[in-house]
Amino acid sequence: MANFPSTLETLIDKFASLPGIGKKSAQRLAFFMLTRSDEEADAFAAAITAAKHSIRFCSVCQNLTENEICPICASDRRDHSVICVVSEPRDVLSIERGREYNGTYHVLHGVLSPMTHVGPDDIRIRELLERVAKEDIQEVIMATNPDTEGEATALYISRLLRPFKVRVTRLAYGIPVGSNLEFTDNATLNRAMEGRTEMLPD
Amino acid sequence: MANFPSTLETLIDKFASLPGIGKKSAQRLAFFMLTRSDEEADAFAAAITAAKHSIRFCSVCQNLTENEICPICASDRRDHSVICVVSEPRDVLSIERGREYNGTYHVLHGVLSPMTHVGPDDIRIRELLERVAKEDIQEVIMATNPDTEGEATALYISRLLRPFKVRVTRLAYGIPVGSNLEFTDNATLNRAMEGRTEMLPD
């Protein structure tokens, strides 16, 4: 016997197939699972199946949802003339956490990345254009990450939107609130300088 | 909506309950699972259930097995008068890999650890004593890890075995084969010096 029992080997292989989990970690996780109660292990398995089978993409904004249309797109308390474009579902959560934004979202599920062969057809750009073409959209706010790929994606989409009569904006760059100048990198400082706004004392 | 859909939140929580997996990693793993095909996700869930329900402890040596008795304990080609005591199932694999040892094993499933409140009743010591009392055992080889807890566990068990007429041995300490003196720590060097053996040139 130079192996674990086959069902255990299978479970180790499954864990090892997850991103960022090596063979040793997979072994550790599989052993941990064996130490749980039957109920806990079954609940874990059921959670995978339930999530996988019940989660789909909102037919409007492409965010993850358990319904045909997500709660935000279905809400009549949101401003449906504004679309905030983000790359991942978790970005929606980040912006919602701010409790300021009251428009809708569009989740691209990725960014353009020539290095990893992600092109315009691999992310949900077409669905965004269809929305802008069909619905009465006043403004599209580009809120992809402020890195090279996020910038390029925002720029690419803003060009595609040019034919439509819609205002396209980008999240402001600047010094994070609560941060200080000493620890702010040069690129951010320069952007903050360029984007400086009038101070209007009362 | 300041949350993901509830089935997704549940899955994230499940992953986060695994050792060494934080909230962010759990999110990443759950998202990864959503990108898999239905078949792959179901296979993952099934692997958990299958392993959990089919794996048990060998009634003799306490190693993980899918049967009442593990292949090693059931084999008539192994020397059943020798027991090698290890702390974890993976240690059995390590020793089997060497293809030298032909006796049986006893898996403790842990080591004594006052710091984390693991006492003699929390690991499979009683089962070992029963084996030594009932079976015709000639030698018990202590093969716990050469760290403080492994040493203490080996010492504790060797004392319990004193009343039985059985030879109790410990794996040799020394310089790893293929290593060199320069990079060998002092404790190991001292142990290697103490345990020096006669050279017998032909």
Side-chain angles (χ1 to χ4, degrees):
Chain A
M1 187 196 82
N3 276 332
F4 292 118
S6 64
T7 49
L8 180 54
E9 284 287 342
T10 305
L11 184 58
I12 293 173
D13 288 346
K14 290 293 173 195
F15 275 118
S17 74
L18 297 176
I21 308 272
K23 189 79 185 175
K24 287 276 168 193
S25 300
Q27 235 180 57
R28 196 167 42 85
L29 295 176
F31 277 119
F32 176 82
M33 197 61 82
L34 291 182
T35 65
R36 299 297 86 185
S37 70
D38 276 7
E39 291 70 39
E40 284 173 299
D42 289 345
F44 201 115
I48 292 174
T49 317
K52 181 64 198 167
H53 291 266
S54 69
I55 302 274
R56 48 175 136 176
F57 298 118
C58 169
S59 61
V60 181
C61 76
Q62 311 298 321
N63 195 3
L64 301 174
T65 177
E66 287 166 346
N67 310 310
E68 167 70 18
I69 293 178
C70 79
I72 292 178
C73 287
S75 167
D76 55 6
R77 307 175 70 179
R78 311 283 304 210
D79 181 352
H80 290 268
S81 71
V82 185
I83 300 176
C84 178
V85 179
V86 295
S87 74
E88 301 293 344
R90 59 174 161 268
D91 299 328
V92 173
L93 261 67
S94 300
I95 295 175
E96 286 296 287
R97 226 179 282 128
R99 293 167 177 276
E100 279 283 333
Y101 181 68
N102 195 39
T104 64
Y105 293 93
H106 191 87
V107 182
L108 295 172
H109 293 282
V111 282
L112 299 178
S113 170
M115 295 286 283
T116 55
H117 306 287
V118 179
D121 294 337
D122 300 318
I123 62 177
R124 313 277 169 128
I125 294 178
R126 189 174 48 79
E127 290 83 350
L128 173 64
L129 299 181
E130 280 170 11
R131 283 178 75 183
V132 175
K134 275 193 287 188
E135 297 169 36
D136 181 26
I137 307 297
Q138 301 297 313
E139 180 176 359
V140 175
I141 305 169
M142 302 305 309
T144 49
N145 282 327
D147 52 23
T148 318
E149 294 177 343
E151 296 274 17
T153 307
L155 193 65
Y156 179 86
I157 293 175
S158 69
R159 283 190 188 129
L160 292 179
L161 290 174
R162 211 178 281 160
F164 303 98
K165 284 219 185 318
V166 62
R167 191 176 163 218
V168 181
T169 57
R170 180 91 177 95
L171 286 190
Y173 292 101
I175 306 157
V177 176
S179 172
N180 62 45
L181 294 188
E182 187 178 359
F183 299 124
T184 307
D185 64 287
N186 292 344
T188 303
L189 261 186
N190 289 344
R191 295 287 206 132
M193 192 61 83
E194 286 166 27
R196 65 190 180 278
T197 55
E198 296 294 336
M199 289 189 68
L200 302 166
D202 323 284
Chain B
M1 186 196 86
N3 276 331
F4 292 117
S6 65
T7 48
L8 180 54
E9 284 286 342
T10 305
L11 184 57
I12 293 172
D13 288 346
K14 291 293 173 196
F15 274 118
S17 74
L18 298 175
I21 308 273
K23 190 80 185 173
K24 286 277 169 194
S25 300
Q27 237 181 54
R28 197 166 42 83
L29 295 176
F31 278 118
F32 177 82
M33 197 61 82
L34 292 182
T35 65
R36 300 296 86 186
S37 70
D38 277 7
E39 292 71 38
E40 284 172 301
D42 289 345
F44 200 114
I48 292 174
T49 316
K52 182 62 200 171
H53 291 267
S54 69
I55 301 273
R56 48 174 136 175
F57 298 119
C58 169
S59 61
V60 181
C61 76
Q62 311 299 321
N63 196 5
L64 302 173
T65 176
E66 288 167 344
N67 310 311
E68 167 70 17
I69 293 179
C70 79
I72 292 178
C73 287
S75 167
D76 54 6
R77 304 174 71 181
R78 311 283 305 210
D79 181 352
H80 291 268
S81 71
V82 185
I83 300 176
C84 177
V85 179
V86 295
S87 73
E88 300 294 342
R90 59 174 161 270
D91 298 328
V92 173
L93 263 67
S94 301
I95 296 176
E96 285 296 286
R97 226 178 282 129
R99 293 166 177 276
E100 277 283 333
Y101 180 68
N102 195 39
T104 64
Y105 292 93
H106 190 87
V107 182
L108 295 172
H109 292 282
V111 282
L112 298 177
S113 169
M115 295 285 284
T116 56
H117 306 288
V118 179
D121 294 337
D122 300 317
I123 61 178
R124 312 279 169 127
I125 294 178
R126 189 174 47 80
E127 290 83 350
L128 173 64
L129 299 181
E130 279 169 12
R131 282 179 75 183
V132 175
K134 275 193 286 190
E135 298 170 35
D136 182 26
I137 307 297
Q138 301 297 312
E139 181 175 359
V140 174
I141 305 170
M142 301 307 307
T144 50
N145 282 327
D147 52 23
T148 317
E149 294 176 344
E151 296 274 17
T153 307
L155 193 64
Y156 179 85
I157 292 175
S158 69
R159 282 190 189 130
L160 292 179
L161 289 174
R162 211 177 281 160
F164 302 97
K165 284 219 183 321
V166 62
R167 192 176 163 217
V168 181
T169 57
R170 180 91 178 94
L171 286 191
Y173 292 101
I175 306 157
V177 177
S179 172
N180 62 46
L181 293 189
E182 188 180 357
F183 300 122
T184 307
D185 65 284
N186 291 345
T188 302
L189 261 186
N190 290 343
R191 295 287 206 134
M193 192 61 83
E194 286 168 25
R196 66 191 180 276
T197 55
E198 294 294 335
M199 291 189 69
L200 301 167
D202 322 283

